[in-house]
Amino acid sequence: MQWGDMTQSELLDVLATGEMTPLGTLPWGSNYTFLTQITAKSPKPRELLAVYKPRRGEAPLWDFPTGTLCLREYAAWLVSEALGWQLVPPTVLRSGDYGFGSVQLFIENDPNQHYFTFRDDPSVCDQLRRIAVFDLITNNADRKSGHCLRDLNGRVWAIDHGICFNAEYKLRTVIWDFAGQPIPEELLHDLERLRTQVEPHRTLGKALRQLLSAEEVTAFAKRIEGLLRLRVFPGPSRYERNIPWPPV
């Protein structure tokens, strides 16, 4: 994927090695989140906006190990890339002014646009199906409407994946519109390909085992298998809280 005059590899290099200048905190969320400017001087001068989530700014959670939310942000990007869906903006792990954390490309968007405002637009329906499948396999506990962004070109992006990949069922999402519908064959094909990439000797499998616990990786693989057997979008559980709060 091209990013202006940059390849994705060049963009990732800027995110990982450029000089970071925090511009201020972003006003939502329970964890410290900074809008930051990243500048690289060589081989070409580059300037990007990014979202920096330092590990030390993560609020403690009873059901997720302390200090792992930034790792889950990066793991979500790796899975999105492995699927070939590019739902999650480019993300790296690195140190900044407030220590080690995740750094993700800032997506310019209309803040008044979110899942509830564009879910009936046929032009983004395929993208939303991918996000729904992505949340099912990553066990996303926080798919709020505002965690789906529409960029200035109309593309939908999925953000905020710090509480994904729990080994226990945690799925909380506003995207239940596809419940009962068949999962498109091309998405099932991508899941079949992902299933092999999660194996311990594969590049993705090795990376996930460095970011998540063994139990979490095993549960992730089982969710992929389960969805491949089911082949339809499941509905909300009758026994669990299924929607995050607040929903937007």
Side-chain angles (χ1 to χ4, degrees):
M1 187 171 183
Q2 283 289 134
W3 298 88
D5 64 341
M6 281 188 287
T7 64
Q8 179 153 295
S9 177
E10 290 170 333
L11 184 144
L12 289 169
D13 186 60
V14 174
L15 288 175
T17 65
E19 181 179 346
M20 293 174 61
T21 305
L23 301 177
T25 56
L26 293 171
W28 56 84
S30 55
N31 303 302
Y32 282 100
T33 304
F34 297 88
L35 181 65
T36 185
Q37 180 176 287
I38 301 185
T39 306
K41 296 181 179 178
S42 66
K44 279 185 180 181
R46 309 280 195 189
E47 211 168 76
L48 300 172
L49 289 178
V51 177
Y52 167 43
K53 297 182 177 181
R55 172 184 271 168
R56 65 196 253 193
E58 296 175 4
L61 297 170
W62 70 268
D63 50 353
F64 285 84
T66 301
T68 67
L69 273 57
C70 60
L71 305 182
R72 297 167 195 276
E73 293 274 6
Y74 183 58
W77 177 74
L78 290 177
V79 170
S80 169
E81 291 297 296
L83 284 163
W85 296 353
Q86 295 181 313
L87 300 172
V88 181
T91 307
V92 300
L93 293 172
R94 62 168 293 180
S95 289
D97 284 7
Y98 301 99
F100 178 81
S102 64
V103 175
Q104 185 174 90
L105 181 70
F106 176 79
I107 300 295
E108 292 197 42
N109 67 96
D110 179 351
N112 295 314
Q113 290 281 308
H114 50 83
Y115 177 75
F116 291 144
T117 68
F118 53 67
R119 65 179 175 182
D120 295 323
D121 182 345
S123 70
V124 299
C125 200
D126 287 345
Q127 297 173 65
L128 298 179
R129 282 193 184 91
R130 288 187 178 91
I131 294 175
V133 171
F134 183 79
D135 288 343
L136 287 166
I137 62 172
T138 61
N139 198 18
N140 191 350
D142 197 31
R143 176 61 69 209
K144 295 180 173 71
S145 182
H147 293 173
C148 297
L149 308 180
R150 198 169 188 181
D151 72 18
L152 303 183
N153 296 314
R155 181 188 178 106
V156 178
W157 295 91
I159 63 165
D160 282 351
H161 298 102
I163 50 174
C164 289
F165 297 105
N166 200 298
E168 297 181 13
Y169 182 87
K170 297 286 180 181
L171 181 65
R172 296 189 185 107
T173 175
V174 297
I175 309 179
W176 293 108
D177 307 65
F178 306 112
Q181 297 180 19
I183 298 173
E185 285 297 322
E186 61 268 25
L187 303 191
L188 292 171
H189 176 75
D190 292 337
L191 288 179
E192 288 170 355
R193 186 166 41 82
L194 180 67
R195 174 172 55 185
T196 65
Q197 294 184 64
V198 178
E199 294 171 358
H201 64 283
R202 302 293 294 270
T203 301
L204 177 64
K206 290 178 182 178
L208 291 178
R209 284 164 175 80
Q210 292 179 336
L211 299 165
L212 308 170
S213 71
E215 184 184 21
E216 287 170 335
V217 176
T218 298
F220 174 55
K222 286 181 178 178
R223 288 192 296 271
I224 296 171
E225 290 283 356
L227 207 53
L228 284 169
R229 286 195 301 271
L230 188 62
R231 304 183 78 83
V232 299
F233 288 95
S237 169
R238 286 183 285 177
Y239 308 105
E240 304 285 348
R241 182 161 68 91
N242 298 293
I243 296 173
W245 187 261
V248 177

